[in-house]
Amino acid sequence: MNTRQIEYFLAVAEELSFTKAAEKMYVSQTAVTQQIRALEEQMGVQLFSRTKKKVELTSAGELFMIEGRQILEHIENAFTHVRDASAGMTGGLEIGFANYASNILANSLQEFHSRYPNIKLHFKSYNPSVLLDRLRLGELDLIFSPIFEPSVYQGCLLQEVSRVSLIAVLPSSHPLAGKHYLTKKDLADQRLILACTPDSKIGEDRKIIDSFVTAGFHPDIVDRIEDIETVLLMVAVQMGVSILPSYITLPVSNDRRIVAIPYEPDVRVNYSAICMEENQNPALEIMTKFLKERSE
């Protein structure tokens, strides 16, 4: 049995005419008759009762018409699934994103999921330095993270997703808490808590410190802590102030002890999708193309 025989059978079953079925399939009536006869011999049953005046399905033929349609549908689905898998339209992606940045990604990832529902997305949230470590180890296919120092990401492909502004986070009782925005000059003599690893592993502190130094200021660095929760706690207990990406606004707004104020409105951080160049996951190619199209 082959798919062509099933197609011929279904054409005759639908038309109840060998002549019309042959016309429908663009073949000779003899070819249709031979294939149906071969199919009946293989199955050991008669599928049609034929007279000079009409063609009718037997009870076996009626049953096989249902089964035949399901067989062809199953084969077509199998072909579709294989083609989709080859094109990356199935499979899965291990995705990491920077803590508290889900609001930046929700809309685009929802659109991607709607467009490619067969690609399973698994999400994990980490600090930016951990994201890069896990990406290089192959534990993650793609990460979304703020880019402070592009040279750190050698061997990676970067696609900008958003330009993120910065906020200054201060105790709500701070003398500067009532200002509409803050500048480097405003914070020049403040005790700064930097949200970064102690050694600024991915260049987190350079964008902030270098901007102060360039302006002729030398900030008083109290501590370098990558964990945002810890940074916010230190600000809340008035150990200093911090400068953070604006997507941290939500946890700040939920704590009345601290306030977030726009910092240097013209200064922004590139928030990007990052993957390893050698990653051959077909689903990753679909995702990166999607993100590129969305950014254009």
Side-chain angles (χ1 to χ4, degrees), residues 263-281:
Y263 171 75
E264 294 283 0
D266 295 334
V267 178
R268 293 179 177 271
V269 173
N270 183 356
Y271 194 86
S272 296
I274 308 162
C275 64
M276 299 303 297
E277 291 179 350
E278 68 269 19
N279 191 323
Q280 298 299 311
N281 184 342

Side-chain angles (χ1 to χ4, degrees), residues 16-31:
L16 292 179
S17 166
F18 281 76
T19 301
K20 291 181 179 180
E23 293 174 353
K24 183 177 181 179
M25 301 300 293
Y26 300 100
V27 295
S28 67
Q29 182 175 334
T30 300

Side-chain angles (χ1 to χ4, degrees), residues 1 5-6 9 35-47 60-61 63-65 67-68 71:
M1 184 188 301
Q5 289 174 329
I6 298 174
F9 163 77
Q35 290 297 326
I36 296 299
R37 184 177 297 116
L39 183 61
E40 289 178 323
E41 290 176 357
Q42 291 174 33
M43 298 179 68
V45 297
Q46 186 176 348
L47 299 173
L63 177 61
F64 189 63
M65 183 169 66
E67 296 290 343
I71 290 171

Side-chain angles (χ1 to χ4, degrees), residues 22-294:
E23 293 174 353
K24 183 177 181 179
M25 301 300 293
Y26 300 100
V27 295
S28 67
Q29 182 175 334
T30 300
V32 173
T33 301
Q34 290 175 343
Q35 290 297 326
I36 296 299
R37 184 177 297 116
L39 183 61
E40 289 178 323
E41 290 176 357
Q42 291 174 33
M43 298 179 68
V45 297
Q46 186 176 348
L47 299 173
F48 297 100
S49 64
R50 311 166 178 82
T51 67
K52 292 183 179 181
K53 293 184 177 181
K54 62 181 179 178
V55 175
E56 293 182 330
L57 283 164
T58 63
S59 57
E62 290 177 350
L63 177 61
F64 189 63
M65 183 169 66
I66 297 172
E67 296 290 343
R69 287 171 176 164
Q70 292 177 347
I71 290 171
L72 292 183
E73 182 179 356
H74 179 76
I75 292 173
E76 180 57 33
N77 287 340
F79 287 165
T80 299
H81 290 159
V82 171
R83 286 192 294 266
D84 286 350
S86 177
M89 294 181 184
T90 61
L93 286 171
E94 296 293 332
I95 299 175
F97 63 96
N99 291 334
Y100 304 109
S102 58
N103 57 317
I104 297 178
L105 307 173
N107 290 338
S108 58
L109 291 179
Q110 180 184 12
E111 182 181 339
F112 180 85
H113 180 61
S114 297
R115 191 181 300 184
Y116 305 103
N118 292 326
I119 296 180
K120 299 185 183 300
L121 305 179
H122 305 280
F123 299 104
K124 295 177 182 178
S125 175
Y126 300 108
N127 292 325
S129 67
V130 179
L131 286 175
L132 181 57
D133 286 341
R134 292 182 179 268
L135 179 71
R136 293 195 183 282
L137 288 171
E139 297 176 8
L140 297 172
D141 294 300
L142 182 71
I143 63 174
F144 292 92
S145 178
I147 302 297
F148 301 100
E149 179 53 59
S151 64
V152 173
Y153 296 88
Q154 292 182 359
C156 300
L157 298 176
L158 280 66
Q159 172 63 53
E160 181 179 319
V161 174
S162 178
R163 295 285 289 172
V164 181
S165 59
L166 299 176
I167 55 173
V169 183
L170 303 86
S172 55
S173 60
H174 196 284
L176 297 174
K179 298 196 69 170
H180 294 296
Y181 71 91
L182 295 171
T183 66
K184 292 184 287 290
K185 184 177 180 180
D186 292 320
L187 301 182
D189 60 351
Q190 299 296 313
R191 292 164 57 83
L192 279 180
I193 304 165
L194 296 180
C196 65
T197 54
D199 58 353
S200 189
K201 183 176 180 179
I202 57 174
E204 311 97 299
D205 66 352
R206 295 174 201 168
K207 191 174 189 69
I208 295 173
I209 293 178
D210 289 353
S211 66
F212 275 97
V213 173
T214 301
F217 304 116
H218 297 278
D220 178 13
I221 309 301
V222 177
D223 208 343
R224 289 174 167 83
I225 304 291
E226 189 175 24
D227 181 66
I228 297 298
E229 288 285 352
T230 303
V231 171
L232 296 180
L233 175 61
M234 293 176 70
V235 173
V237 299
Q238 303 184 15
M239 295 178 64
V241 302
S242 188
I243 300 171
L244 303 171
S246 58
Y247 55 75
I248 308 296
T249 301
L250 182 59
V252 174
S253 64
N254 290 333
D255 190 337
R256 295 182 179 180
R257 299 170 300 173
I258 53 181
V259 295
I261 302 173
Y263 171 75
E264 294 283 0
D266 295 334
V267 178
R268 293 179 177 271
V269 173
N270 183 356
Y271 194 86
S272 296
I274 308 162
C275 64
M276 299 303 297
E277 291 179 350
E278 68 269 19
N279 191 323
Q280 298 299 311
N281 184 342
L284 179 60
E285 183 178 356
I286 296 295
M287 172 64 86
T288 53
K289 286 183 178 179
F290 168 81
L291 293 172
K292 184 175 180 180
E293 291 171 2
R294 207 171 189 278

